[in-house]
Amino acid sequence: MSTQPPIVVGIDFDNTLVCYDTLFHRVAAEQKLIPDDVPVNKTAVRNYLRQIGREPAWTEMQGVVYGNRIVEAEAYPGALDFIRQGIASGWTLHIVSHKTRYPIKGEPVDLHESARRWLETQGVHSSAIGLPRGNVWFAPTKTEKAQRAEALGCQVFIDDLPEFLLDPAFPSGIRRILFDPQKNVRPSEHYTIVHSWAEIPALVSA
Ligand SMILES: [Mg+2]
């Protein structure tokens, strides 16, 4: 029997576990904010709306997508398998999300409750996957998110935002994996870039 302490992995929620590309495009199209030729991804929708001076519409749409409509969003391919297999391997996984309770604009939907609803819908807490409900954390600021990751004893953290992984508040002892499915992030000596979830298990156990 190995006596090594379990590997503890922190996982970001928005745009790391949850893919909003289709949903942002769908909601924007329903609201007739975008023409048909805008590519089906979140960044393209945001850039288009900024370009035409509709930034407030974009902000408001975030409340809808991260709130009432969140259950329509998909998990990134391989993300739920990663959680299932990680738990089966004896790793401790925590989802640590930087998320305010209410949107900055629009209807005051509880965004934490919405995120939890997504996790339930995807079966993340079911016996098939097995993440304990207590292993989901919401931090109102980036600094508190970094502090939470440290307090939980994370050895590895997976996130889509370079500005979080490179933040001075980010604990220096945690290995950083940058999830970059669109392949548009600048390399850094401080993180390892992956383009898919399938690449991550080998990095975690390395
Ligand atoms: Mg994120």
Side-chain angles (χ1 to χ4, degrees), residues 22-51:
T22 313
L23 184 52
F24 267 111
H25 194 273
R26 185 184 305 152
V27 173
E30 284 170 9
Q31 297 182 5
K32 308 215 179 334
L33 289 165
I34 53 167
D36 294 343
D37 60 350
V38 171
V40 184
N41 78 66
K42 180 191 168 186
T43 312
V45 172
R46 184 195 63 201
N47 290 348
Y48 178 81
L49 292 174
R50 281 187 179 159
Q51 208 184 310

PDB file of all heavy atoms in Angstrom, residues 22-51:
ATOM      1  N   THR A  22     -21.554  27.445 -27.689  1.00  0.00           N
ATOM      2  CA  THR A  22     -22.826  27.272 -28.393  1.00  0.00           C
ATOM      3  C   THR A  22     -23.918  28.112 -27.747  1.00  0.00           C
ATOM      4  O   THR A  22     -24.737  28.719 -28.431  1.00  0.00           O
ATOM      5  CB  THR A  22     -23.238  25.779 -28.361  1.00  0.00           C
ATOM      6  OG1 THR A  22     -22.110  24.991 -28.722  1.00  0.00           O
ATOM      7  CG2 THR A  22     -24.377  25.495 -29.305  1.00  0.00           C
ATOM      8  N   LEU A  23     -23.911  28.137 -26.426  1.00  0.00           N
ATOM      9  CA  LEU A  23     -24.985  28.832 -25.714  1.00  0.00           C
ATOM     10  C   LEU A  23     -24.941  30.345 -25.919  1.00  0.00           C
ATOM     11  O   LEU A  23     -25.980  30.976 -26.160  1.00  0.00           O
ATOM     12  CB  LEU A  23     -24.929  28.468 -24.225  1.00  0.00           C
ATOM     13  CG  LEU A  23     -26.046  29.030 -23.344  1.00  0.00           C
ATOM     14  CD1 LEU A  23     -27.444  28.714 -23.900  1.00  0.00           C
ATOM     15  CD2 LEU A  23     -25.911  28.488 -21.917  1.00  0.00           C
ATOM     16  N   PHE A  24     -23.749  30.944 -25.871  1.00  0.00           N
ATOM     17  CA  PHE A  24     -23.661  32.389 -26.126  1.00  0.00           C
ATOM     18  C   PHE A  24     -24.147  32.707 -27.537  1.00  0.00           C
ATOM     19  O   PHE A  24     -24.867  33.681 -27.762  1.00  0.00           O
ATOM     20  CB  PHE A  24     -22.220  32.892 -25.945  1.00  0.00           C
ATOM     21  CG  PHE A  24     -21.946  33.406 -24.567  1.00  0.00           C
ATOM     22  CD1 PHE A  24     -21.104  32.724 -23.710  1.00  0.00           C
ATOM     23  CD2 PHE A  24     -22.555  34.572 -24.099  1.00  0.00           C
ATOM     24  CE1 PHE A  24     -20.855  33.191 -22.422  1.00  0.00           C
ATOM     25  CE2 PHE A  24     -22.315  35.046 -22.811  1.00  0.00           C
ATOM     26  CZ  PHE A  24     -21.457  34.349 -21.974  1.00  0.00           C
ATOM     27  N   HIS A  25     -23.736  31.877 -28.477  1.00  0.00           N
ATOM     28  CA  HIS A  25     -24.127  32.106 -29.858  1.00  0.00           C
ATOM     29  C   HIS A  25     -25.648  31.984 -30.005  1.00  0.00           C
ATOM     30  O   HIS A  25     -26.285  32.805 -30.654  1.00  0.00           O
ATOM     31  CB  HIS A  25     -23.410  31.101 -30.768  1.00  0.00           C
ATOM     32  CG  HIS A  25     -23.482  31.439 -32.214  1.00  0.00           C
ATOM     33  ND1 HIS A  25     -24.533  31.036 -33.010  1.00  0.00           N
ATOM     34  CD2 HIS A  25     -22.647  32.165 -33.013  1.00  0.00           C
ATOM     35  CE1 HIS A  25     -24.321  31.492 -34.242  1.00  0.00           C
ATOM     36  NE2 HIS A  25     -23.192  32.172 -34.268  1.00  0.00           N
ATOM     37  N   ARG A  26     -26.215  30.962 -29.364  1.00  0.00           N
ATOM     38  CA  ARG A  26     -27.660  30.724 -29.432  1.00  0.00           C
ATOM     39  C   ARG A  26     -28.450  31.897 -28.843  1.00  0.00           C
ATOM     40  O   ARG A  26     -29.383  32.407 -29.462  1.00  0.00           O
ATOM     41  CB  ARG A  26     -27.995  29.447 -28.667  1.00  0.00           C
ATOM     42  CG  ARG A  26     -29.459  29.021 -28.757  1.00  0.00           C
ATOM     43  CD  ARG A  26     -29.725  27.801 -27.885  1.00  0.00           C
ATOM     44  NE  ARG A  26     -28.826  26.711 -28.228  1.00  0.00           N
ATOM     45  CZ  ARG A  26     -28.416  25.761 -27.380  1.00  0.00           C
ATOM     46  NH1 ARG A  26     -28.841  25.757 -26.123  1.00  0.00           N
ATOM     47  NH2 ARG A  26     -27.609  24.821 -27.775  1.00  0.00           N
ATOM     48  N   VAL A  27     -28.036  32.339 -27.655  1.00  0.00           N
ATOM     49  CA  VAL A  27     -28.769  33.423 -26.989  1.00  0.00           C
ATOM     50  C   VAL A  27     -28.638  34.720 -27.799  1.00  0.00           C
ATOM     51  O   VAL A  27     -29.618  35.443 -27.997  1.00  0.00           O
ATOM     52  CB  VAL A  27     -28.287  33.603 -25.526  1.00  0.00           C
ATOM     53  CG1 VAL A  27     -28.911  34.840 -24.887  1.00  0.00           C
ATOM     54  CG2 VAL A  27     -28.631  32.362 -24.698  1.00  0.00           C
ATOM     55  N   ALA A  28     -27.454  34.989 -28.322  1.00  0.00           N
ATOM     56  CA  ALA A  28     -27.246  36.198 -29.123  1.00  0.00           C
ATOM     57  C   ALA A  28     -28.087  36.147 -30.400  1.00  0.00           C
ATOM     58  O   ALA A  28     -28.676  37.159 -30.811  1.00  0.00           O
ATOM     59  CB  ALA A  28     -25.772  36.351 -29.469  1.00  0.00           C
ATOM     60  N   ALA A  29     -28.180  34.970 -31.004  1.00  0.00           N
ATOM     61  CA  ALA A  29     -28.972  34.817 -32.229  1.00  0.00           C
ATOM     62  C   ALA A  29     -30.465  34.988 -31.921  1.00  0.00           C
ATOM     63  O   ALA A  29     -31.187  35.656 -32.652  1.00  0.00           O
ATOM     64  CB  ALA A  29     -28.696  33.461 -32.875  1.00  0.00           C
ATOM     65  N   GLU A  30     -30.916  34.415 -30.821  1.00  0.00           N
ATOM     66  CA  GLU A  30     -32.322  34.558 -30.409  1.00  0.00           C
ATOM     67  C   GLU A  30     -32.688  36.024 -30.203  1.00  0.00           C
ATOM     68  O   GLU A  30     -33.784  36.453 -30.518  1.00  0.00           O
ATOM     69  CB  GLU A  30     -32.565  33.841 -29.074  1.00  0.00           C
ATOM     70  CG  GLU A  30     -32.660  32.337 -29.171  1.00  0.00           C
ATOM     71  CD  GLU A  30     -32.667  31.690 -27.775  1.00  0.00           C
ATOM     72  OE1 GLU A  30     -32.768  32.412 -26.753  1.00  0.00           O
ATOM     73  OE2 GLU A  30     -32.563  30.470 -27.726  1.00  0.00           O
ATOM     74  N   GLN A  31     -31.740  36.765 -29.630  1.00  0.00           N
ATOM     75  CA  GLN A  31     -31.987  38.192 -29.368  1.00  0.00           C
ATOM     76  C   GLN A  31     -31.698  39.048 -30.600  1.00  0.00           C
ATOM     77  O   GLN A  31     -31.732  40.277 -30.521  1.00  0.00           O
ATOM     78  CB  GLN A  31     -31.133  38.651 -28.176  1.00  0.00           C
ATOM     79  CG  GLN A  31     -31.507  37.931 -26.887  1.00  0.00           C
ATOM     80  CD  GLN A  31     -30.697  38.422 -25.668  1.00  0.00           C
ATOM     81  OE1 GLN A  31     -29.914  39.371 -25.752  1.00  0.00           O
ATOM     82  NE2 GLN A  31     -30.889  37.761 -24.538  1.00  0.00           N
ATOM     83  N   LYS A  32     -31.388  38.383 -31.717  1.00  0.00           N
ATOM     84  CA  LYS A  32     -31.107  39.042 -32.990  1.00  0.00           C
ATOM     85  C   LYS A  32     -29.979  40.070 -32.874  1.00  0.00           C
ATOM     86  O   LYS A  32     -30.007  41.143 -33.471  1.00  0.00           O
ATOM     87  CB  LYS A  32     -32.373  39.690 -33.549  1.00  0.00           C
ATOM     88  CG  LYS A  32     -33.561  38.731 -33.625  1.00  0.00           C
ATOM     89  CD  LYS A  32     -34.440  39.014 -34.830  1.00  0.00           C
ATOM     90  CE  LYS A  32     -35.636  38.099 -35.006  1.00  0.00           C
ATOM     91  NZ  LYS A  32     -35.569  36.759 -34.442  1.00  0.00           N
ATOM     92  N   LEU A  33     -28.990  39.726 -32.070  1.00  0.00           N
ATOM     93  CA  LEU A  33     -27.858  40.625 -31.858  1.00  0.00           C
ATOM     94  C   LEU A  33     -26.723  40.361 -32.829  1.00  0.00           C
ATOM     95  O   LEU A  33     -25.836  41.194 -32.994  1.00  0.00           O
ATOM     96  CB  LEU A  33     -27.330  40.471 -30.423  1.00  0.00           C
ATOM     97  CG  LEU A  33     -28.222  41.013 -29.295  1.00  0.00           C
ATOM     98  CD1 LEU A  33     -27.769  40.462 -27.952  1.00  0.00           C
ATOM     99  CD2 LEU A  33     -28.191  42.539 -29.276  1.00  0.00           C
ATOM    100  N   ILE A  34     -26.709  39.162 -33.434  1.00  0.00           N
ATOM    101  CA  ILE A  34     -25.595  38.812 -34.317  1.00  0.00           C
ATOM    102  C   ILE A  34     -26.103  38.282 -35.663  1.00  0.00           C
ATOM    103  O   ILE A  34     -27.159  37.663 -35.720  1.00  0.00           O
ATOM    104  CB  ILE A  34     -24.680  37.718 -33.692  1.00  0.00           C
ATOM    105  CG1 ILE A  34     -25.497  36.489 -33.241  1.00  0.00           C
ATOM    106  CG2 ILE A  34     -23.879  38.272 -32.519  1.00  0.00           C
ATOM    107  CD1 ILE A  34     -24.661  35.274 -32.903  1.00  0.00           C
ATOM    108  N   PRO A  35     -25.345  38.518 -36.733  1.00  0.00           N
ATOM    109  CA  PRO A  35     -25.688  37.893 -38.024  1.00  0.00           C
ATOM    110  C   PRO A  35     -25.257  36.418 -38.016  1.00  0.00           C
ATOM    111  O   PRO A  35     -24.494  36.008 -37.150  1.00  0.00           O
ATOM    112  CB  PRO A  35     -24.867  38.692 -39.035  1.00  0.00           C
ATOM    113  CG  PRO A  35     -23.721  39.248 -38.253  1.00  0.00           C
ATOM    114  CD  PRO A  35     -24.168  39.377 -36.818  1.00  0.00           C
ATOM    115  N   ASP A  36     -25.760  35.670 -38.990  1.00  0.00           N
ATOM    116  CA  ASP A  36     -25.508  34.218 -39.043  1.00  0.00           C
ATOM    117  C   ASP A  36     -24.037  33.843 -39.161  1.00  0.00           C
ATOM    118  O   ASP A  36     -23.642  32.755 -38.759  1.00  0.00           O
ATOM    119  CB  ASP A  36     -26.223  33.602 -40.257  1.00  0.00           C
ATOM    120  CG  ASP A  36     -27.726  33.695 -40.118  1.00  0.00           C
ATOM    121  OD1 ASP A  36     -28.192  33.935 -38.970  1.00  0.00           O
ATOM    122  OD2 ASP A  36     -28.429  33.539 -41.130  1.00  0.00           O
ATOM    123  N   ASP A  37     -23.233  34.737 -39.747  1.00  0.00           N
ATOM    124  CA  ASP A  37     -21.863  34.342 -40.039  1.00  0.00           C
ATOM    125  C   ASP A  37     -20.884  34.522 -38.873  1.00  0.00           C
ATOM    126  O   ASP A  37     -19.702  34.253 -39.021  1.00  0.00           O
ATOM    127  CB  ASP A  37     -21.349  35.072 -41.293  1.00  0.00           C
ATOM    128  CG  ASP A  37     -21.368  36.581 -41.125  1.00  0.00           C
ATOM    129  OD1 ASP A  37     -21.955  37.071 -40.131  1.00  0.00           O
ATOM    130  OD2 ASP A  37     -20.793  37.276 -41.986  1.00  0.00           O
ATOM    131  N   VAL A  38     -21.380  34.937 -37.719  1.00  0.00           N
ATOM    132  CA  VAL A  38     -20.484  35.016 -36.557  1.00  0.00           C
ATOM    133  C   VAL A  38     -20.203  33.583 -36.096  1.00  0.00           C
ATOM    134  O   VAL A  38     -21.122  32.811 -35.874  1.00  0.00           O
ATOM    135  CB  VAL A  38     -21.107  35.858 -35.418  1.00  0.00           C
ATOM    136  CG1 VAL A  38     -20.275  35.762 -34.141  1.00  0.00           C
ATOM    137  CG2 VAL A  38     -21.247  37.315 -35.840  1.00  0.00           C
ATOM    138  N   PRO A  39     -18.921  33.214 -35.987  1.00  0.00           N
ATOM    139  CA  PRO A  39     -18.587  31.833 -35.599  1.00  0.00           C
ATOM    140  C   PRO A  39     -19.195  31.449 -34.247  1.00  0.00           C
ATOM    141  O   PRO A  39     -19.402  32.307 -33.384  1.00  0.00           O
ATOM    142  CB  PRO A  39     -17.059  31.848 -35.502  1.00  0.00           C
ATOM    143  CG  PRO A  39     -16.608  33.028 -36.294  1.00  0.00           C
ATOM    144  CD  PRO A  39     -17.720  34.034 -36.226  1.00  0.00           C
ATOM    145  N   VAL A  40     -19.460  30.131 -34.102  1.00  0.00           N
ATOM    146  CA  VAL A  40     -20.079  29.626 -32.876  1.00  0.00           C
ATOM    147  C   VAL A  40     -19.027  29.505 -31.781  1.00  0.00           C
ATOM    148  O   VAL A  40     -18.588  28.414 -31.431  1.00  0.00           O
ATOM    149  CB  VAL A  40     -20.779  28.262 -33.132  1.00  0.00           C
ATOM    150  CG1 VAL A  40     -21.501  27.783 -31.866  1.00  0.00           C
ATOM    151  CG2 VAL A  40     -21.785  28.399 -34.272  1.00  0.00           C
ATOM    152  N   ASN A  41     -18.592  30.640 -31.282  1.00  0.00           N
ATOM    153  CA  ASN A  41     -17.786  30.618 -30.061  1.00  0.00           C
ATOM    154  C   ASN A  41     -17.937  31.921 -29.304  1.00  0.00           C
ATOM    155  O   ASN A  41     -18.248  32.966 -29.855  1.00  0.00           O
ATOM    156  CB  ASN A  41     -16.328  30.187 -30.305  1.00  0.00           C
ATOM    157  CG  ASN A  41     -15.472  31.279 -30.889  1.00  0.00           C
ATOM    158  OD1 ASN A  41     -15.207  32.289 -30.258  1.00  0.00           O
ATOM    159  ND2 ASN A  41     -15.046  31.060 -32.124  1.00  0.00           N
ATOM    160  N   LYS A  42     -17.706  31.796 -28.014  1.00  0.00           N
ATOM    161  CA  LYS A  42     -17.953  32.883 -27.079  1.00  0.00           C
ATOM    162  C   LYS A  42     -17.156  34.141 -27.437  1.00  0.00           C
ATOM    163  O   LYS A  42     -17.694  35.254 -27.442  1.00  0.00           O
ATOM    164  CB  LYS A  42     -17.568  32.388 -25.676  1.00  0.00           C
ATOM    165  CG  LYS A  42     -17.773  33.388 -24.593  1.00  0.00           C
ATOM    166  CD  LYS A  42     -17.114  32.937 -23.288  1.00  0.00           C
ATOM    167  CE  LYS A  42     -17.101  34.117 -22.326  1.00  0.00           C
ATOM    168  NZ  LYS A  42     -16.382  33.833 -21.101  1.00  0.00           N
ATOM    169  N   THR A  43     -15.886  33.952 -27.747  1.00  0.00           N
ATOM    170  CA  THR A  43     -15.021  35.095 -28.051  1.00  0.00           C
ATOM    171  C   THR A  43     -15.489  35.823 -29.301  1.00  0.00           C
ATOM    172  O   THR A  43     -15.493  37.062 -29.345  1.00  0.00           O
ATOM    173  CB  THR A  43     -13.563  34.607 -28.238  1.00  0.00           C
ATOM    174  OG1 THR A  43     -13.251  33.750 -27.137  1.00  0.00           O
ATOM    175  CG2 THR A  43     -12.591  35.747 -28.261  1.00  0.00           C
ATOM    176  N   ALA A  44     -15.905  35.077 -30.308  1.00  0.00           N
ATOM    177  CA  ALA A  44     -16.366  35.699 -31.552  1.00  0.00           C
ATOM    178  C   ALA A  44     -17.630  36.526 -31.297  1.00  0.00           C
ATOM    179  O   ALA A  44     -17.783  37.632 -31.824  1.00  0.00           O
ATOM    180  CB  ALA A  44     -16.629  34.632 -32.613  1.00  0.00           C
ATOM    181  N   VAL A  45     -18.521  35.982 -30.470  1.00  0.00           N
ATOM    182  CA  VAL A  45     -19.761  36.703 -30.149  1.00  0.00           C
ATOM    183  C   VAL A  45     -19.426  37.984 -29.381  1.00  0.00           C
ATOM    184  O   VAL A  45     -19.914  39.074 -29.709  1.00  0.00           O
ATOM    185  CB  VAL A  45     -20.735  35.806 -29.329  1.00  0.00           C
ATOM    186  CG1 VAL A  45     -21.935  36.602 -28.835  1.00  0.00           C
ATOM    187  CG2 VAL A  45     -21.189  34.605 -30.160  1.00  0.00           C
ATOM    188  N   ARG A  46     -18.556  37.850 -28.386  1.00  0.00           N
ATOM    189  CA  ARG A  46     -18.173  39.026 -27.590  1.00  0.00           C
ATOM    190  C   ARG A  46     -17.494  40.074 -28.466  1.00  0.00           C
ATOM    191  O   ARG A  46     -17.848  41.258 -28.407  1.00  0.00           O
ATOM    192  CB  ARG A  46     -17.222  38.604 -26.466  1.00  0.00           C
ATOM    193  CG  ARG A  46     -16.857  39.754 -25.538  1.00  0.00           C
ATOM    194  CD  ARG A  46     -15.668  39.416 -24.674  1.00  0.00           C
ATOM    195  NE  ARG A  46     -14.480  39.190 -25.485  1.00  0.00           N
ATOM    196  CZ  ARG A  46     -13.411  38.502 -25.087  1.00  0.00           C
ATOM    197  NH1 ARG A  46     -13.387  37.957 -23.891  1.00  0.00           N
ATOM    198  NH2 ARG A  46     -12.377  38.336 -25.893  1.00  0.00           N
ATOM    199  N   ASN A  47     -16.545  39.647 -29.293  1.00  0.00           N
ATOM    200  CA  ASN A  47     -15.834  40.607 -30.141  1.00  0.00           C
ATOM    201  C   ASN A  47     -16.778  41.322 -31.096  1.00  0.00           C
ATOM    202  O   ASN A  47     -16.653  42.519 -31.323  1.00  0.00           O
ATOM    203  CB  ASN A  47     -14.718  39.907 -30.916  1.00  0.00           C
ATOM    204  CG  ASN A  47     -13.587  39.471 -30.000  1.00  0.00           C
ATOM    205  OD1 ASN A  47     -13.537  39.878 -28.834  1.00  0.00           O
ATOM    206  ND2 ASN A  47     -12.693  38.632 -30.505  1.00  0.00           N
ATOM    207  N   TYR A  48     -17.727  40.570 -31.647  1.00  0.00           N
ATOM    208  CA  TYR A  48     -18.676  41.187 -32.564  1.00  0.00           C
ATOM    209  C   TYR A  48     -19.487  42.265 -31.847  1.00  0.00           C
ATOM    210  O   TYR A  48     -19.642  43.381 -32.347  1.00  0.00           O
ATOM    211  CB  TYR A  48     -19.609  40.134 -33.183  1.00  0.00           C
ATOM    212  CG  TYR A  48     -20.621  40.766 -34.104  1.00  0.00           C
ATOM    213  CD1 TYR A  48     -20.283  41.097 -35.413  1.00  0.00           C
ATOM    214  CD2 TYR A  48     -21.903  41.089 -33.647  1.00  0.00           C
ATOM    215  CE1 TYR A  48     -21.185  41.735 -36.238  1.00  0.00           C
ATOM    216  CE2 TYR A  48     -22.821  41.728 -34.468  1.00  0.00           C
ATOM    217  CZ  TYR A  48     -22.457  42.044 -35.762  1.00  0.00           C
ATOM    218  OH  TYR A  48     -23.357  42.681 -36.578  1.00  0.00           O
ATOM    219  N   LEU A  49     -20.007  41.927 -30.661  1.00  0.00           N
ATOM    220  CA  LEU A  49     -20.849  42.887 -29.937  1.00  0.00           C
ATOM    221  C   LEU A  49     -20.060  44.130 -29.515  1.00  0.00           C
ATOM    222  O   LEU A  49     -20.569  45.251 -29.560  1.00  0.00           O
ATOM    223  CB  LEU A  49     -21.515  42.219 -28.727  1.00  0.00           C
ATOM    224  CG  LEU A  49     -22.564  41.154 -29.098  1.00  0.00           C
ATOM    225  CD1 LEU A  49     -23.067  40.435 -27.852  1.00  0.00           C
ATOM    226  CD2 LEU A  49     -23.733  41.773 -29.861  1.00  0.00           C
ATOM    227  N   ARG A  50     -18.800  43.925 -29.141  1.00  0.00           N
ATOM    228  CA  ARG A  50     -17.949  45.076 -28.794  1.00  0.00           C
ATOM    229  C   ARG A  50     -17.733  45.965 -30.005  1.00  0.00           C
ATOM    230  O   ARG A  50     -17.813  47.181 -29.933  1.00  0.00           O
ATOM    231  CB  ARG A  50     -16.594  44.593 -28.276  1.00  0.00           C
ATOM    232  CG  ARG A  50     -16.693  44.143 -26.848  1.00  0.00           C
ATOM    233  CD  ARG A  50     -15.337  43.827 -26.262  1.00  0.00           C
ATOM    234  NE  ARG A  50     -15.500  43.411 -24.880  1.00  0.00           N
ATOM    235  CZ  ARG A  50     -14.617  42.699 -24.200  1.00  0.00           C
ATOM    236  NH1 ARG A  50     -13.491  42.342 -24.771  1.00  0.00           N
ATOM    237  NH2 ARG A  50     -14.855  42.360 -22.954  1.00  0.00           N
ATOM    238  N   GLN A  51     -17.481  45.289 -31.123  1.00  0.00           N
ATOM    239  CA  GLN A  51     -17.191  46.001 -32.371  1.00  0.00           C
ATOM    240  C   GLN A  51     -18.357  46.880 -32.804  1.00  0.00           C
ATOM    241  O   GLN A  51     -18.169  47.968 -33.324  1.00  0.00           O
ATOM    242  CB  GLN A  51     -16.943  44.927 -33.421  1.00  0.00           C
ATOM    243  CG  GLN A  51     -16.046  45.264 -34.549  1.00  0.00           C
ATOM    244  CD  GLN A  51     -16.040  44.078 -35.516  1.00  0.00           C
ATOM    245  OE1 GLN A  51     -15.836  42.929 -35.105  1.00  0.00           O
ATOM    246  NE2 GLN A  51     -16.293  44.334 -36.775  1.00  0.00           N
TER     247      GLN A  51
END
